[in-house]
Amino acid sequence: MPHHGLMDVTIREALPEELLPVADLLGSAYLSDGLLSLGTEDPYLATLRDTARRAAEATLLVAVDPADGALLGTVTFTPDGPYAEISRPDEAEFRMLAVSPGARGRGVGEALVRACIGRARRLGMRGMALSTSPRMHSAHRLYRRLGFVRSPERDWSPSPDFTLHVYTLTW
C-alpha cells in the first residue's frame, strides 16, 4: 500500500564498515524510544550492538539512501539459527528493526519488513513470526498494515517481568 512521502530506499546486506554505524543506530533508537528499561545499563544493549555476530549468524540488512548512502535503518532477518527465538520450522523471523529518528514516517521500516518477507518467500517458507515489545505502537501499526496478526498464544517472556507480543504472517 503506497504511502504519501514514501522515500526511495535501497535494502541490502550490511557491509563490514557499516557494522559499527548499525550498532550505533540500533542502540540510539532503542534508548531514545525508551525500550531499554535500564537505559545504557540494560544488558540487551550489548546484544543490540553486537552487529558483527548477527552478520555472521543471521542476515543483517540495512536501508540506505541511494542518493548519498546514508544509513536509514536496519533489521536482522533470521530464517533459522541462534537468533530465531520463536519461529517454527516453516517460518522465518526478523528481529531488531530500527529506523533512524530522522528517517521515520517515510516508509523505511516498511521497506525493511517487506525485504524480510521477500527473502522468506524465496526460501520457500510458509510464513513469518516476530516478537515485539507491547510499547512499540508504531511498529504494531506497520505489522498490521502488512497483514501480520497478533498471535497471543505464542507470547513469551525473556525475563520474569517482561512479556513480548508475537505477530505472525502466513501466505
Side-chain angles (χ1 to χ4, degrees):
M1 179 183 320
H3 272 8
H4 179 69
L6 199 63
M7 68 183 302
D8 189 22
V9 60
T10 299
I11 309 293
R12 59 168 171 73
E13 291 191 37
L15 303 173
E17 61 269 22
E18 292 171 322
L19 295 179
L20 184 56
V22 169
D24 290 342
L25 185 152
L26 271 162
S28 63
Y30 273 65
L31 285 165
S32 67
D33 290 349
L35 299 172
L36 299 174
S37 57
L38 301 176
T40 56
E41 301 303 307
D42 198 297
Y44 192 58
L45 184 58
T47 302
L48 285 170
R49 293 188 55 86
D50 193 357
T51 50
R53 181 172 168 221
R54 281 203 307 290
E57 298 181 356
T59 303
L60 185 64
L61 297 176
V62 292
V64 295
D65 185 324
D68 62 7
L71 180 64
L72 305 172
T74 181
V75 69
T76 297
F77 174 75
T78 178
D80 54 29
Y83 285 96
E85 294 177 318
I86 55 151
S87 53
R88 294 176 175 161
D90 59 346
E91 290 175 329
E93 187 170 343
F94 68 84
R95 298 185 52 195
M96 304 176 195
L97 173 67
V99 175
S100 108
R104 291 185 183 176
R106 301 191 308 187
V108 175
E110 179 173 338
L112 285 161
V113 173
R114 287 186 183 279
C116 290
I117 294 168
R119 284 174 175 259
R121 286 178 179 269
R122 287 192 297 277
L123 289 170
M125 301 287 185
R126 309 297 312 149
M128 176 154 290
L130 66 95
S131 302
T132 180
S133 162
R135 298 192 300 267
M136 294 181 175
H137 302 294
S138 59
H140 303 165
R141 286 192 296 275
L142 167 64
Y143 303 148
R144 286 192 299 270
R145 195 169 69 244
L146 295 178
F148 286 83
V149 294
R150 272 284 286 126
S151 301
E153 72 284 356
R154 293 175 65 179
D155 290 357
W156 64 286
S157 299
S159 61
D161 58 341
F162 188 60
T163 298
L164 289 168
H165 289 181
V166 174
Y167 281 77
T168 56
L169 175 69
T170 53
W171 50 80

